[in-house]
């Protein structure tokens, strides 16, 4: 993790310096207002997303999903939240497949994903029958060339690396059969949610991917793929995803979306609902699982006295700290609402580098996750004094 983070920091610093010198890194954009944004949506998809800080929209979503789940006799509100982590997503994929091997993997009511977790989430949502495709995505070498430099074009377009390998990867695994399967589960009341970060509004946007899939046409497939790419587009590393909206008076403009991890390490309880307590006579119950594609605890290491080393070490420290805080907040929510919370993360003694997409390294991480899940050591329940 340290070595790859150092390399990424060096690339970022070099690109930033080059852009500052050339003044060519900014492309023109159409402008729009915050008010116009409230009246806009992707063409034909007016009800497929909401802002994480929108309490009214969140409650409406939860009410509709809960009613549909109960209508289909779906009593266990088990939730799986998948974090970001780049290549470390191989660990999470291994946990999911190993969980299947135990025969006790829940049929989740809600699955959420951020960044690499967004790429895993559709398969985790659909269940064990899709495990082979999930394993293939993380161990076959399909991601070997994900970090493909743009060279000189990085000086006048956003992002150090080309978005094409990421788009190709998503397109290869997200096809019409997958959309049909997700739409069928959505009709049962189950929900697949993916988070992106809207840089223009500086808000987390939660996308109801089953609602998108239910439309079933080419535009649905394109938007589904676009949201996954956006959620995995690490700011500065990959270009942001531009999502076109239809506004009032037939005016069109584009939002700029990046990695959902820019606003939260994972999405389980939207921020507008973290202090909420449900009705005591609510018959729905379940467990809460947070899968962290990374490490949680601080680790000692001598930090070099240079800007890049300090930047990279600071980013790693911030990421771990933020994840622990989010786990603590979600644990408190789960306790108030009668749910048990479980977490899993990469063990501290395992080598894990978020930008190392080498198939051998990813396969090793996958196998570690698989074995931990299969032998029952992957999931733990954090104690109140130690998130």
């Amino acid at each position: 993790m340290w070595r790859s983070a150092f390399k990424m920091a060096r690339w970022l610093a070099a690109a930033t310096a080059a852009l500052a010198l050339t003044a060519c890194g900014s492309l023109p954009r159409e402008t729009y207002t915050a008010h116009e944004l409230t009246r806009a949506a992707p063409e034909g998809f007016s009800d497929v997303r909401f802002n994480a800080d929108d309490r009214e929209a969140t409650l409406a979503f939860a009410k509709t999903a809960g009613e549909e789940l109960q209508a289909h006799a779906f009593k266990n509100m088990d939730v799986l939240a998948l974090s970001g982590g780049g290549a470390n997503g191989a660990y999470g994929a291994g946990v999911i497949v190993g969980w299947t091997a135990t025969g006790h993997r829940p049929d989740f009511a809600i699955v959420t994903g951020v960044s690499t977790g967004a790429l895993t989430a559709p398969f985790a949502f659909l269940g064990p029958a899709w495990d082979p495709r999930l394993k293939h995505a993380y161990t076959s070498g399909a991601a070997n060339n994900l970090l493909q430099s743009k060279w000189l074009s990085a000086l006048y377009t956003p992002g150090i690396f080309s978005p094409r390998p990421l788009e190709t990867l998503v397109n290869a695994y997200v096809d019409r059969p997958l959309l049909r399967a997700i739409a069928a589960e959505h009709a049962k009341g189950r929900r697949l949610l993916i988070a992106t970060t809207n840089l223009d509004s500086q808000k987390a946007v939660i996308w109801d991917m089953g609602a998108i899939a239910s439309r079933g046409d080419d535009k649905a497939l394109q938007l589904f793929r676009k949201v996954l790419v956006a959620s995995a587009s690490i700011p500065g590393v990959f270009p942001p995803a531009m999502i076109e909206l239809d506004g009032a008076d037939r005016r069109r403009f584009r939002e700029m979306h990046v990695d959902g991890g820019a606003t939260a390490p994972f999405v389980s309880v939207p921020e507008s609902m973290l202090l909420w307590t449900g009705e005591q006579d609510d018959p729905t119950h379940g467990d809460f699982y947070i899968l962290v594609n990374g490490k949680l605890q601080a680790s000692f290491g001598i930090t070099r006295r240079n800007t890049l080393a300090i930047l990279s070490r600071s980013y790693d420290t911030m990421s771990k700290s933020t994840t622990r805080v989010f786990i603590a907040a979600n644990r408190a929510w789960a306790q108030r609402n009668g749910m048990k919370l479980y977490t899993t993360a990469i063990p501290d003694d395992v080598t894990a580098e978020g930008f190392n997409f080498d198939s051998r390294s990813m396969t090793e991480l996958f196998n570690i996750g698989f074995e931990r899940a299969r032998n029952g050591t992957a999931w733990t329940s954090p104690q109140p004094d130690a998130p």
Side-chain angles (χ1 to χ4, degrees):
M1 176 70 78
W2 154 251
R3 183 173 56 198
S4 62
F6 182 83
K7 289 179 180 177
M8 289 306 302
R10 183 177 61 193
W11 289 330
L12 284 169
T16 301
L19 291 174
L21 289 173
T22 62
C24 294
S26 179
L27 298 177
R29 287 189 62 194
E30 67 275 20
T31 61
Y32 63 95
T33 67
H35 177 68
E36 286 179 305
L37 180 58
T38 64
R39 304 170 62 192
E43 182 183 4
F45 297 93
S46 61
D47 57 350
V48 300
R49 66 182 194 167
F50 56 92
N51 291 333
D53 67 348
D54 188 334
R55 183 181 178 85
E56 183 177 340
T58 302
L59 284 171
F61 166 82
K63 182 176 184 294
T64 299
E67 290 173 349
E68 290 190 21
L69 285 167
Q70 290 186 27
H72 289 87
F74 206 110
K75 297 297 183 182
N76 289 330
M77 187 66 75
D78 292 323
V79 178
L80 173 65
L82 302 162
S83 86
N88 291 339
Y91 170 78
V95 168
I96 291 167
V97 177
W99 209 351
T100 297
T102 69
H104 300 295
R105 175 176 161 185
D107 189 14
F108 294 103
I110 298 175
V111 175
T112 75
V114 167
S115 198
T116 191
L119 305 183
T120 304
F123 308 110
F125 177 75
L126 289 175
W130 293 77
D131 283 359
R133 188 181 290 199
L134 174 59
K135 180 179 180 180
H136 188 272
Y138 280 93
T139 64
S140 67
N144 276 354
N145 298 316
L146 199 58
L147 302 182
Q148 189 176 103
S149 176
K150 297 192 301 180
W151 300 107
L152 290 178
S153 66
L155 298 177
Y156 52 85
T157 58
I160 299 172
F161 297 106
S162 169
R164 291 178 183 174
L166 177 58
E167 293 167 353
T168 299
L169 183 68
V170 169
N171 292 349
Y173 290 96
V174 177
D175 52 19
R176 287 189 177 278
L178 182 136
L179 248 64
R180 286 196 294 269
I182 288 174
E185 294 305 311
H186 179 82
K188 300 175 185 177
R190 299 179 65 221
R191 293 295 183 263
L192 171 62
L193 306 177
I194 299 300
T196 63
T197 298
N198 182 342
L199 282 185
D200 296 330
S201 66
Q202 293 189 321
K203 294 183 178 183
V205 179
I206 299 177
W207 299 80
D208 186 343
M209 304 301 280
I212 295 174
S214 295
R215 174 158 166 171
D217 58 10
D218 286 342
K219 288 186 176 180
L221 182 60
Q222 292 169 8
L223 181 59
F224 196 103
R225 289 170 170 174
K226 175 76 78 171
V227 171
L228 293 185
V229 170
S231 187
S233 294
I234 304 168
V237 177
F238 293 111
M242 306 303 295
I243 297 180
E244 186 169 297
L245 305 184
D246 271 359
D249 302 323
R250 303 177 64 86
R251 181 169 183 263
R252 291 189 175 186
F253 53 88
R254 296 184 301 166
E255 296 174 320
M256 180 180 287
H257 286 257
V258 297
D259 192 337
T263 42
F266 56 85
V267 173
S268 46
V269 180
E271 60 186 84
S272 61
M273 299 294 292
L274 279 172
L275 299 179
W276 181 79
T277 300
E279 299 294 334
Q280 296 301 314
D281 59 351
D282 188 346
T284 304
H285 61 278
D287 295 328
F288 212 146
Y289 298 88
I290 298 175
L291 197 162
V292 179
N293 289 303
K295 300 179 182 181
L296 280 175
Q297 300 307 319
S299 59
F300 178 79
I302 302 298
T303 307
R304 297 180 184 180
R305 293 186 63 182
N306 65 61
T307 301
L308 298 181
I310 293 170
L311 175 64
S312 131
R313 184 71 169 174
S314 298
Y315 177 83
D316 186 47
T317 302
M318 177 185 66
S319 177
K320 289 177 178 178
S321 176
T322 302
T323 301
R324 293 196 301 269
V325 169
F326 267 75
I327 289 175
N330 282 276
R331 183 188 62 226
W333 185 94
Q335 290 175 337
R336 288 198 312 274
N337 290 280
M339 299 179 74
K340 292 182 179 179
L341 183 140
Y342 300 91
T343 64
T344 185
I346 298 174
D348 291 333
D349 60 352
V350 171
T351 299
E353 301 180 356
F355 290 100
N356 182 5
F357 291 95
D358 176 73
S359 59
R360 182 170 61 181
S361 174
M362 293 178 71
T363 298
E364 289 175 357
L365 269 181
F366 178 94
N367 290 337
I368 289 170
F370 179 91
E371 290 300 329
R372 294 190 78 213
R374 185 169 64 172
N375 64 27
T377 61
W379 295 101
T380 60
S381 183
Q383 298 301 311
D385 59 344

